[in-house]
Amino acid sequence: MTNRKKGSKRTTSASIDWLELGWPRALDGYLHRRDFGWHWIDGTHEPRCYDMRLHDCVPTQKWRKVKANRKFHLEIPHDWESVAEGEEVKCVVREIIERYGCSVKSPGARTFREYGANAPTNLSGYLVPLLIWERHTSEVIGVRWSEADGSEIDRKYKSLILSGY
């Protein structure tokens, strides 16, 4: 199951550091994210593009929020990769887990979907502080557009290449 809208295209970057360094870019740098939306390298606003955020690519609605050591954490199941979209998204989630997570006994995502709160807890998983998870997963990591707009966006991209930008 995925949170991505049906028929939407996407591009991403695969590093938390990249998110901290500046605005996202797509299509070989020809499309840039600014405060007020997506723009082509020639300065033209692209209203057909919208933000893709990490939380759109990892369906966490079935993952539990737990309180541990007086702080709230997101319990990430051991098999979280089976429900995440794309290798680049998985790379960012792995990095969040490596930097901020700790290993715990946790149900798997599939097990939790099947059994709910009564899922067995004999499988490993991770706890990540909820505030850190929300901060990183709310960052813009890429761009999306509808499948219907794809040919026009591709046409604009190719015209910029041909015009020497």
Side-chain angles (χ1 to χ4, degrees), residues 74-80 97 101-104 106 124-128:
L74 182 66
E75 186 178 57
I76 301 174
H78 76 286
D79 61 348
W80 65 268
I97 290 170
C102 64
S103 186
V104 294
S106 171
S124 63
Y126 310 93
L127 285 182
V128 172

Side-chain angles (χ1 to χ4, degrees), residues 109-126:
R110 290 188 190 117
T111 305
F112 193 73
R113 278 195 302 273
E114 292 170 14
Y115 297 99
N118 297 321
T121 57
N122 60 348
L123 302 170
S124 63
Y126 310 93

Side-chain angles (χ1 to χ4, degrees), residues 35-73:
D35 283 327
F36 43 93
W38 287 90
H39 294 268
W40 292 102
I41 198 166
D42 67 356
T44 308
H45 177 66
E46 182 49 78
R48 297 169 292 199
C49 290
Y50 52 98
D51 295 340
M52 179 176 59
R53 300 176 191 281
L54 185 61
H55 63 73
D56 298 328
C57 305
V58 182
T60 61
Q61 61 270 27
K62 295 275 186 174
W63 297 357
R64 296 190 295 185
K65 293 179 176 125
V66 297
K67 193 169 185 178
N69 299 327
R70 298 185 196 165
K71 294 180 182 176
F72 285 96
H73 292 76

Side-chain angles (χ1 to χ4, degrees), residues 124-136:
S124 63
Y126 310 93
L127 285 182
V128 172
L130 190 58
L131 290 175
I132 289 172
W133 178 263
E134 289 174 347
R135 184 182 79 212
H136 285 298

Side-chain angles (χ1 to χ4, degrees), residues 37 95 131 143 158 162:
E95 193 168 340
L131 290 175
V143 61
K158 289 176 180 173
L162 292 173

